[in-house]
Amino acid sequence: KGDIIIQLEYEKAPITCKNFIKYVDDQFYNGTIFHRVIPGFMIQGGGFKDGMEEKATRAPIKNEANNKLENQRGTISMARTREINSASSQFFINVVDNEFLNYKDAQNYGYAVFGKVISGMDVVDQISKAKTQRISVFSKKYNRHIPFSDVPKDPIFIKKVSVIRKSINQDALKEKTTEESESDRKSTRLNSSHQIISYAVFCLKKK
């Protein structure tokens, strides 16, 4: 049990954050599980219900891994298949620095970071140490049994995910150059004095 609070990097990963927030607003993540847990690597969730029942998702999004955000300990990134632009709802939280997941070039595109844990990393570490198992589950989608590895023996539920938007005053913004008119400066200060920071709050529970 516990909460994880993540600050979203909307400015550097706008497509990813917008996609994630849409899933949150739709309550998609509520009742899902962390279905893949690997100590010394990451914890993954956002796509399955208890019993490894996969949820239907929206269309995949563009991979923003080239946004210069790195897969460091405590960052949250989009999970995907081998296809570069295949991420939809699933995400993972890095429990160590995973440099090999970073963008390198068009052939080694990496995984898109879109936020970082600012509270609850102890909860993430606890989840990463959960006892896991390998199971096989029948998939209606593929009409066959699908093997899954690193599945927690005791389901770890995401009870609820919510997004908090906070307005930040930026009084330290630089003044415009003297060549600009006073009205231009007033307009700039009016439109730029506040920045909206978004935080994702994960409320977790065990079965």
Side-chain angles (χ1 to χ4, degrees):
K1 292 183 177 181
D3 294 344
I4 302 170
I5 302 177
I6 294 171
Q7 181 175 330
L8 301 180
E9 294 280 1
Y10 209 105
E11 186 174 316
K12 294 185 177 180
I15 296 172
T16 310
C17 287
K18 182 178 180 180
N19 174 73
F20 177 78
I21 290 173
K22 175 61 175 171
Y23 277 112
V24 172
D25 289 343
D26 290 345
Q27 301 183 5
F28 178 91
Y29 295 121
N30 298 357
T32 60
I33 59 173
F34 279 99
H35 65 274
R36 185 172 177 233
V37 169
I38 304 177
F41 182 28
M42 58 90 225
I43 63 173
Q44 183 174 336
F48 291 86
K49 296 190 287 186
D50 191 17
M52 295 302 291
E53 180 182 347
E54 189 172 7
K55 297 191 69 174
T57 65
R58 299 194 306 275
I61 60 172
K62 175 180 171 56
N63 190 332
E64 295 182 297
N66 61 345
N67 59 13
K68 298 185 179 180
L69 295 175
E70 298 184 346
N71 282 274
Q72 299 175 336
R73 171 174 163 80
T75 55
I76 183 171
S77 301
M78 292 303 295
R80 62 174 177 85
T81 67
R82 293 182 179 180
E83 294 293 327
I84 292 175
N85 299 309
S86 60
S88 55
S89 68
Q90 291 188 40
F91 56 83
F92 61 91
I93 300 175
N94 293 291
V95 298
V96 296
D97 293 348
N98 288 313
E99 184 180 348
F100 72 99
L101 298 180
N102 296 335
Y103 172 86
K104 293 179 177 60
D105 52 45
Q107 284 69 46
N108 301 278
Y109 214 86
Y111 295 76
V113 174
F114 64 99
K116 60 183 178 182
V117 175
I118 61 171
S119 179
M121 197 60 201
D122 58 325
V123 178
V124 174
D125 288 333
Q126 185 178 358
I127 293 172
S128 73
K129 298 173 184 176
K131 292 183 179 180
T132 60
Q133 60 186 336
R134 180 182 175 85
I135 62 175
S136 179
V137 177
F138 183 78
S139 170
K140 294 179 181 178
K141 180 179 179 180
Y142 299 105
N143 196 33
R144 62 184 176 87
H145 279 82
I146 305 293
F148 292 96
S149 299
D150 309 304
V151 180
K153 288 185 177 180
D154 296 319
I156 302 168
F157 287 92
I158 298 174
K159 182 179 180 182
K160 182 180 180 182
V161 183
S162 54
V163 172
I164 299 173
R165 297 168 177 85
K166 186 176 181 181
S167 179
I168 304 297
N169 196 324
Q170 300 185 81
D171 292 330
L173 287 173
K174 294 181 179 179
E175 289 289 330
K176 289 291 184 177
T177 61
T178 55
E179 284 81 7
E180 291 180 318
S181 68
E182 179 63 24
S183 61
D184 287 338
R185 290 199 296 274
K186 287 181 179 178
S187 175
T188 300
R189 286 196 293 270
L190 179 63
N191 294 328
S192 305
S193 61
H194 288 79
Q195 178 184 5
I196 303 298
I197 306 295
S198 296
Y199 302 90
V201 181
F202 289 75
C203 299
L204 309 180
K205 68 173 182 177
K206 280 196 172 184
K207 189 172 182 179

